[in-house]
Amino acid sequence: MAIHYPNGKSYLKKIGSSNTKRTKNIVYGKRGMSLEDEINESNKYYLESGIAVIHKKPTPVQIVDVFYPKRSAAVIKKAYFKQASTTDYNGVYQGKYIDFEAKETKNKTSFPLSNFHEHQINHMKACCKQDGVCFTIVKFVADAQIFLMPSETLFYYWDRQNNGRKSIPKEVIAQDGFEIAYELQPRIPYLKYVDRLINK
């Protein structure tokens, strides 16, 4: 299926593309889960436990070409993103509006600001002005470390990137934010660190 952005450019999936070569189908429990899968699983636990209501935002897509190989089946051949997306997740926790982005990077020592778009930053800034709780969950894939990075850190580096710095050092993320250790239930217990943001 071909998916296009509003400007007409094609959407190319970089990670996990069907063109990548697969050598062996080895499964190590849940080690191969993406950050998004891990957060979705954690949010399901929070919802079922009555702790919070946080969901992944659906991306609005306009379907323009559909192929019907059978009467009972349809194959989408071409689609466009209707509009630029904001952030990945939002919801309510302890009476607070929660809004955050989830990002993975293969970089070992820093988090590239190119992972964000200006409209996402503007959206998060607007939410913060309304007393919402905004942050980013960053996963450094190489060593499977996960951090909750406060929005203030992201905004600080974003607003100063014209001075030459195009990334946020990992040590700054660790210092300003919180490292999240994997647990059984929920898998990524990020809300206990959100408590610290709320109580700041």
Side-chain angles (χ1 to χ4, degrees):
M1 172 180 72
I3 299 179
H4 300 271
Y5 288 103
N7 65 6
K9 286 188 178 179
S10 297
Y11 166 71
L12 299 174
K13 191 172 183 181
K14 294 179 182 176
I15 300 173
S17 168
S18 57
N19 295 331
T20 54
K21 293 181 181 179
R22 293 178 184 161
T23 51
K24 288 184 181 178
N25 191 10
I26 301 172
V27 178
Y28 296 106
K30 294 184 178 178
R31 278 167 51 183
M33 290 177 75
S34 70
L35 177 61
E36 186 178 292
D37 291 333
E38 292 171 334
I39 292 172
N40 291 343
E41 189 179 271
S42 301
N43 286 342
K44 183 179 177 186
Y45 170 82
Y46 286 137
L47 180 64
E48 291 173 350
S49 302
I51 297 169
V53 180
I54 300 170
H55 295 288
K56 179 162 173 42
K57 297 177 192 174
T59 304
V61 173
Q62 174 71 49
I63 298 167
V64 294
D65 187 13
V66 182
F67 172 62
Y68 295 92
K70 298 180 192 173
R71 276 181 139 182
S72 61
V75 177
I76 298 170
K77 302 295 278 183
K78 189 185 262 189
Y80 290 87
F81 291 119
K82 277 186 178 180
Q83 61 194 43
S85 61
T86 52
T87 47
D88 290 330
Y89 295 90
N90 70 342
V92 182
Y93 171 59
Q94 293 187 355
K96 284 281 190 181
Y97 175 74
I98 305 294
D99 199 291
F100 68 94
E101 185 72 12
K103 299 287 189 185
E104 292 182 89
T105 181
K106 291 182 180 178
N107 284 27
K108 294 181 180 180
T109 58
S110 64
F111 176 73
L113 289 165
S114 59
N115 282 311
F116 277 93
H117 299 286
E118 189 169 1
H119 64 267
Q120 292 176 314
I121 301 294
N122 292 339
H123 168 77
M124 292 175 81
K125 285 181 176 180
C127 290
C128 287
K129 282 183 182 177
Q130 298 299 322
D131 206 23
V133 180
C134 296
F135 53 90
T136 303
I137 295 179
V138 180
K139 182 175 184 178
F140 287 88
V141 177
D143 52 13
Q145 277 187 293
I146 301 175
F147 297 90
L148 187 148
M149 177 174 64
S151 57
E152 294 85 0
T153 303
L154 173 62
F155 299 159
Y156 178 87
Y157 279 87
W158 179 269
D159 293 340
R160 287 159 183 78
Q161 63 182 315
N162 290 335
N163 295 337
R165 180 94 210 185
K166 302 294 184 187
S167 64
I168 306 173
K170 184 179 179 182
E171 63 222 21
V172 170
I173 296 172
Q175 177 185 310
D176 292 359
F178 311 97
E179 185 171 0
I180 305 173
Y182 281 111
E183 291 183 7
L184 189 61
Q185 290 290 347
R187 185 162 174 77
I188 299 180
Y190 67 90
L191 285 182
K192 66 180 174 183
Y193 302 102
V194 171
D195 287 336
R196 297 192 199 180
L197 289 180
I198 293 171
N199 295 325
K200 259 187 178 182

